[in-house]
Amino acid sequence: MSRGIVVIPKSVTPKRIEENNKLVDLDEKDLATIAGLHKTEGIVRFVKPGWPVNLLFDEANWGENLRSLL
Amino acid sequence: MGILIHLTPTTVLCLPPSSSPSTPALSCPQLASVLSLSLIASPSTSNTPTGTWRSPVGEVEAAVYHAIVHAGYRHIDCAFAYGNEAEVGSALKRIFAEGHVTRSDLFITSKLWSTYHTRAAEGIQKSLDLLGLDYLDLYLIHWPIPLNAHGNSDLFPTLPDGSRDIDTNWTFNQTWASLEDLHKAGKARAIGVSNFSVPYLQRLLEGAKVVPAVNQIENHPLLLQTKLVEFCQSKGIVVTAYSPFGSIGGPLLANPVLKGIAEKNGVSVGNVILNSLCRFTQLSFGTGVIANVGAGE
């Protein structure tokens, strides 16, 4: 991981596959909480390769001081 | 309102109200179960030593075999830069030979790496050869950033000062024109992009003959990117969400608020995230969610 590369599918677990499959009937209150989560916890972009350019994303931008390719 | 399709075994997919002419393949009803084989470059590393890393031999092959044969996966999200397309190809060869599925049962995506923007035909052929296929269902521009094709690395060329070696003489509009040719030639049944913002998409569309079928972007509760998603919807571009659990280690799976909602509903945090993303998208747009089944383990 310190070398900058990580592989995701170390294993394919049947349990997780079944879990992910489940259709959950979230109520409006839950959905509103999830949709508003970024207001209290901040907008977070996890995948930010060190490109020396500004990709001009609205939220959680990175490379603001760099030029864009446009 | 989008159409919510729920399929076994992994996730749900919302398509736009009507498929655009460029996305016939995306109406494939078996699209929703996605096995993603991504490697993720560390955000803090400007000099990524790709090529030094390989997963233990056979691991990816086993994962692909298991996903398709035993878990019902039909959509595989690959990329040349992930460095494991040969192993995916080995798994596919075995799966086809054993007769579990045929090529037309599968939906296989790959991505053109940045050092191949100026030579897309070569890029897709490399992926096709590694995968052992003669066409892709979907081919994406991985990032809108052309890198020097003749630099000091095949994947991440750098300049003497260590910064990435960008090819400033090439535009992603030219890359897109190359993908349109590949689409026309039948090498890619659908073509699209990844990591494109609204301004970049607008620039792309200015000269495009084919509207991208897909924009694959990071999307989760802390990065909803609502404006971008709505823009894509307005153009008939399907948004595919990567890293729905927050990428490496799945940090969102440990989020206390999400955990509380999961406990209340008697389901996993992953369930909550995937279902909420699809509910949000169902309300206003079409989105596919890619869940890395092995993430965080």
Side-chain angles (χ1 to χ4, degrees), chain A residues 11 16 19-21 46 54 59, chain B residues 9-10 218 225 271 295 297:
Chain A
S11 64
R16 180 163 292 196
E19 260 182 22
N20 287 346
N21 177 41
F46 292 98
N54 187 345
E59 305 164 77
Chain B
T10 289
E218 181 175 334
Q225 306 206 81
N271 282 158
E297 292 180 347

Side-chain angles (χ1 to χ4, degrees), chain B residues 61 65 85-95 130-132:
Chain B
E61 182 179 345
Y65 184 88
E85 288 188 326
E87 279 200 59
V88 177
S90 298
L92 293 176
K93 191 176 173 188
R94 189 175 150 210
I95 290 163
L130 290 166
L131 293 165

Side-chain angles (χ1 to χ4, degrees), chain B residues 94-137:
Chain B
R94 189 175 150 210
I95 290 163
F96 294 149
E98 291 176 2
H100 298 289
V101 295
T102 62
R103 173 66 185 90
S104 60
D105 294 328
L106 301 179
F107 190 100
I108 300 175
T109 300
S110 186
K111 310 184 190 84
L112 178 77
W113 186 243
S114 289
T115 44
Y116 288 80
H117 275 224
T118 57
R119 40 182 180 145
E122 189 184 331
I124 196 170
Q125 198 56 51
K126 279 201 172 190
S127 284
L128 288 170
D129 290 346
L130 290 166
L131 293 165
L133 304 174
D134 53 15
Y135 72 90
L136 293 170
D137 295 279

Side-chain angles (χ1 to χ4, degrees), chain B residues 23 40 50 65 82 139 146 178 217 219 248 265 289 295:
Chain B
T23 62
I40 295 166
T50 307
Y65 184 88
Y82 299 164
Y139 197 48
S178 303
I217 57 171
N219 197 232
I248 301 162
N265 287 279
V289 177

Side-chain angles (χ1 to χ4, degrees), chain A residues 3-4 6 8 11 16-17 19-22 24 28 30 41 44-48 54-55 58-59 69, chain B residues 6 9-10 39 42-43 49 197 200 218 220 222 225 227 255 264-265 271 275 279 292-295 297:
Chain A
R3 290 181 302 163
V6 173
I8 297 302
S11 64
R16 180 163 292 196
I17 290 165
E19 260 182 22
N20 287 346
N21 177 41
K22 206 177 285 177
V24 184
E28 294 306 318
D30 288 342
E41 307 203 2
V44 183
R45 182 181 288 277
F46 292 98
V47 182
K48 297 198 291 185
N54 187 345
L55 289 172
D58 271 353
E59 305 164 77
L69 290 177
Chain B
H6 180 246
T10 289
L39 303 173
S42 163
S197 63
Y200 278 61
E218 181 175 334
H220 49 68
L222 296 184
Q225 306 206 81
K227 282 184 192 166
N255 182 285
K264 194 186 88 179
N265 287 279
N271 282 158
N275 277 271
R279 279 292 298 274
N292 285 295
V293 289
E297 292 180 347

